[in-house]
Amino acid sequence: MKELQTKKYDTDVLIIGGGTAGCYAAYVLGKKSDLHILIAEKANIRRSGCLAAGVNAVNAYITKGKRPEDYVEYAMKDADGIASRSLLLTMSQRLNEVTAELERLGLVILKDADGNYAARGDRNIKINGENIKPILAAAASGQERVSVLNHVNITDYLVENGHVKGAVGFDVDRQIFYEIHAKAVLIATGGAAGLYRPNNPGFSRHKMWYPPFNTGAGYAMGILAGAEMTTFEMRFIALRCKDTIAPVGTIAQGVGARQVNRDGEVYETAYGLTTSQRLYGTVEENRAGRGPCYLKTEGISETQETELYKAYLNMAPSQTLKWLAEGRGPSQKNVEIEGTEPYIVGGHAASGYWIDSSRRTTLKGLYAAGDVAGGCPQKYVTGALAEGEIAAESIMEELRDTDREAYGADKAFLRQKNTFIDSKKKEYERYLSNPHGVLNTEQVEEAMQKIMDQYAGGIRTDYRYQEASLREADERIAGLQESLPYLYADTMDDLLRIYEVRERLIVCRTVIAHLRARKETRWHGFAEYTDYPQKSSEYEKFVNSRYKDSTVQIVYRDMDGEVIS
């Protein structure tokens, strides 16, 4: 059996995930406290997470004449009431502050003729954001007491009596097992992509809306540890430019392009203008035989066209390259649009950990921020920064009076008594010593995506599902989970792929349970439950869950008061 070298770390704060929220939380902790912070990142924090390729706008900003409360109302309406006002407000109150801090750190924010931030719509401002992630990474790693472990994949929390006291994982390049103990843990990983069959098959399957490297790791860790999770049934399905899967908002808001069908008819107002309704209208127009559907850009000015070319180079250069390769830009040809496969993400929708306004989860010592934090949709970049800051401040307050000697004794007890650490190390080593079997991770993942696509409301069914199909999906996904112990890993990268597919399968089971539990169709386009095609006042509540005895157990929570009672 291959044996892994063990490395142990003790730190005050462990941040799992060095993306937007994780880097900003580390930056705040490093500036405002004397705590020691360790970031564990699967990739490299300089170019990891949703901002790896850059972004061309700040999509959550309180523009002139607006208030944080206005942003709350916008997000509540877009989520059709299934969101936490307290979480949205505490986030919204910080949006402009964290934006200004980003500018001080070196982000270029475009200005209008009067020297004010250049607005793009009611809640957005324009930026030159190709280097936004390197800026955040430098701000975090530049703090004296912040250390970074790049290329380390964390798989499980260390939990004792409902208290998270660290985590375990492995190096994705070298044969090293990591055992990390911490006074507080912040989970700041991404959401889950790759659960469903994507738009583009084969070689181009990575060309999707959400980063394909975000596999739901943070969700899966929380689910397995018994944390309460929320709103996984509010899937996010992006409306994107066909083939390139580039964002449509850059065009819709940048040049005021309307959604039109093949006959040039504007259809968006007939279905509604929320995020899910814009998608729903496009799906319905295609189902009615009035597709393909487009953003009407024909006739825009040369200046507008040039601005679109530049804007996409900041975050989706494939769209600019496509226009140039075809020899026809958006001023000459409308841009075809389509929906993506469903994603589970708390930054656009409300999926994630059930948290309070301090970003504490239901597990003591564990905080959540960014895409894994539930109940607070429409975060985008600045919302993730705000949540990272809130979580950092909550951790500082929690640890201010911590007895370090008592903590040390507690760690020693954990090391002596918790056989879980040894069992996880042996689990990793077993995969590295397994004989080659008939299945590999790619085959399991493709089977998973086919099941979710056909039975749990993917692209193939126009995002529709029924009780019977969801039951079939759950049985088949459970069957795939049984195959995991027989997978093999020749390298540490192979081991990473095994745990990524494990994470996705765990999230799939939770998604299916949540879809079955919300017996209504509230978000047309995002989730069409054909057995229950209408919205129901009975479901003006959160659908939550806990994982217990190998099953996802549903819990319903009302909409009043703090998120955790």
Side-chain angles (χ1 to χ4, degrees):
M1 177 178 285
K2 294 180 180 178
E3 292 189 4
L4 301 179
Q5 173 190 356
T6 297
K7 287 191 175 181
K8 297 180 180 180
Y9 289 85
D10 293 325
T11 188
D12 293 321
V13 183
L14 170 61
I15 298 176
I16 304 173
T20 310
C23 277
Y24 202 74
Y27 169 66
V28 172
L29 285 163
K31 278 185 61 179
K32 297 184 178 180
S33 77
D34 63 352
L35 298 170
H36 290 275
I37 301 98
L38 179 63
I39 302 174
E41 164 59 44
K42 183 169 70 172
N44 185 301
I45 66 167
R46 190 172 187 277
R47 284 288 185 185
S48 65
C50 297
L51 296 185
V55 66
N56 62 21
V58 166
N59 290 328
Y61 188 81
I62 311 302
T63 54
K64 189 174 182 180
K66 301 291 183 180
R67 304 174 304 149
E69 290 79 5
D70 297 324
Y71 197 90
V72 173
E73 292 309 315
Y74 149 71
M76 289 296 298
K77 180 180 179 182
D78 207 73
D80 206 342
I82 308 302
S84 165
R85 287 185 178 276
S86 63
L87 294 180
L88 285 167
L89 184 58
T90 52
M91 175 198 77
S92 301
Q93 289 169 335
R94 296 175 183 246
L95 293 176
N96 290 20
E97 172 193 325
V98 296
T99 302
E101 186 65 15
L102 268 183
E103 187 175 32
R104 285 191 288 270
L105 290 171
L107 180 68
V108 176
I109 302 180
L110 303 186
K111 306 293 199 304
D112 60 21
D114 298 322
N116 300 314
Y117 288 163
R120 193 190 76 171
D122 291 336
R123 296 169 291 274
N124 311 299
I125 57 174
K126 300 177 183 179
I127 66 173
N128 285 342
E130 185 279 332
N131 65 341
I132 187 171
K133 189 61 206 301
I135 288 172
L136 279 169
S141 61
Q143 300 300 308
E144 182 181 355
R145 287 176 293 277
V146 173
S147 301
V148 181
L149 283 176
N150 286 315
H151 303 133
V152 171
N153 186 53
I154 301 297
T155 66
D156 296 87
Y157 297 125
L158 296 178
V159 186
E160 183 185 2
N161 299 324
H163 190 155
V164 175
K165 298 184 176 181
V168 294
F170 56 85
D171 197 291
V172 302
D173 296 320
R174 301 171 294 167
Q175 293 187 0
I176 299 174
F177 170 81
Y178 290 94
E179 174 188 336
I180 305 171
H181 298 268
K183 297 183 181 70
V185 176
L186 171 62
I187 184 69
T189 53
L195 308 183
Y196 288 79
R197 182 179 283 172
N199 294 87
N200 300 306
F203 178 79
S204 296
R205 64 177 182 248
H206 63 281
K207 197 176 288 293
M208 55 175 60
W209 167 73
Y210 198 62
F213 316 106
N214 286 350
T215 61
Y219 294 148
M221 290 165 59
I223 292 165
L224 291 177
E228 188 165 333
M229 314 300 283
T230 189
T231 325
F232 275 57
E233 76 281 7
M234 190 194 286
R235 310 177 303 177
F236 185 78
I237 301 164
L239 188 63
R240 306 296 270 184
C241 302
K242 193 174 189 306
D243 299 325
T244 63
I245 313 301
V248 298
T250 302
I251 301 173
Q253 296 183 43
V255 299
R258 308 290 295 278
Q259 292 174 219
V260 297
N261 60 24
R262 69 173 187 192
D263 299 320
E265 299 167 332
V266 176
Y267 64 82
E268 58 186 31
T269 49
Y271 297 93
L273 298 176
T274 66
T275 307
S276 63
Q277 288 167 343
R278 287 181 178 277
L279 169 75
Y280 180 59
T282 304
V283 172
E284 289 300 295
E285 288 295 298
N286 280 306
R287 283 170 59 83
R290 293 189 290 271
C293 294
Y294 304 89
L295 284 175
K296 183 172 176 53
T297 58
E298 289 181 4
I300 63 173
S301 69
E302 182 178 345
T303 299
Q304 288 176 311
E305 184 172 70
T306 300
E307 287 302 310
L308 288 181
Y309 284 150
K310 292 178 180 178
Y312 278 108
L313 287 175
N314 270 324
M315 65 182 301
S318 58
Q319 183 61 38
T320 299
L321 293 174
K322 182 183 179 184
W323 282 325
L324 294 174
E326 290 178 344
R328 285 193 296 174
S331 66
Q332 298 171 288
K333 183 181 179 181
N334 290 334
V335 178
E336 188 176 350
I337 55 178
E338 65 180 349
T340 63
E341 75 276 24
Y343 304 91
I344 307 303
V345 56
H348 286 64
S351 315
Y353 284 81
W354 185 241
I355 55 174
D356 67 7
S357 56
S358 297
R359 274 51 184 182
R360 290 186 296 248
T361 73
T362 56
L363 297 177
K364 185 174 174 56
L366 179 66
Y367 299 76
D371 277 345
V372 291
C376 186
Q378 309 296 342
K379 294 185 183 90
Y380 305 113
V381 175
T382 42
L385 298 176
E387 286 200 325
E389 183 176 56
I390 293 168
E393 292 175 355
S394 300
I395 289 169
M396 285 187 282
E397 182 177 350
E398 181 73 20
L399 298 185
R400 189 170 291 129
D401 300 320
T402 297
D403 186 330
R404 300 193 179 194
E405 273 189 38
Y407 176 74
D410 199 31
K411 286 187 298 183
F413 174 81
L414 180 64
R415 286 176 179 166
Q416 292 168 12
K417 300 298 182 182
N418 195 344
T419 59
F420 177 77
I421 295 171
D422 288 336
S423 69
K424 289 307 299 185
K425 184 170 183 279
K426 289 175 182 176
E427 181 181 289
Y428 301 158
E429 293 171 338
R430 188 165 56 249
Y431 280 120
L432 289 163
S433 302
N434 270 356
H436 286 210
V438 295
L439 279 179
N440 58 40
T441 52
E442 190 163 311
Q443 291 166 326
V444 174
E445 193 165 279
E446 286 184 358
M448 173 196 70
Q449 290 177 347
K450 181 178 180 181
I451 291 165
M452 295 298 286
D453 187 50
Q454 290 183 351
Y455 299 108
I459 295 171
R460 174 173 175 161
T461 62
D462 292 325
Y463 314 117
R464 287 164 160 72
Y465 52 87
Q466 308 81 36
E467 170 66 26
S469 69
L470 292 175
R471 188 166 54 247
E472 185 72 24
D474 189 57
E475 291 176 4
R476 290 177 180 247
I477 294 296
L480 285 181
Q481 286 181 306
E482 294 175 2
S483 70
L484 291 179
Y486 304 102
L487 295 175
Y488 61 89
D490 286 329
T491 66
M492 297 305 288
D493 186 71
D494 291 339
L495 186 62
L496 171 65
R497 305 303 163 200
I498 290 173
Y499 279 87
E500 287 182 334
V501 76
R502 179 198 79 149
E503 293 152 8
R504 286 182 166 124
L505 288 168
I506 291 167
V507 176
C508 283
R509 296 284 308 274
T510 304
V511 170
I512 293 165
H514 277 246
L515 290 173
R516 293 177 73 177
R518 184 171 287 282
K519 299 185 186 302
E520 64 166 354
T521 296
R522 179 170 294 265
W523 307 289
H524 283 294
F526 283 1
E528 297 287 330
Y529 202 161
T530 58
D531 292 338
Y532 305 93
Q534 304 300 324
K535 184 169 74 171
S536 169
S537 59
E538 184 182 346
Y539 286 90
E540 295 281 347
K541 55 190 175 185
F542 288 104
V543 175
N544 287 11
S545 64
R546 288 181 185 266
Y547 190 73
K548 186 177 181 182
D549 300 327
S550 299
T551 60
V552 181
Q553 300 183 354
I554 296 297
V555 180
Y556 294 102
R557 300 285 185 184
D558 64 35
M559 307 299 296
D560 298 328
E562 278 286 335
V563 180
I564 294 178
S565 59

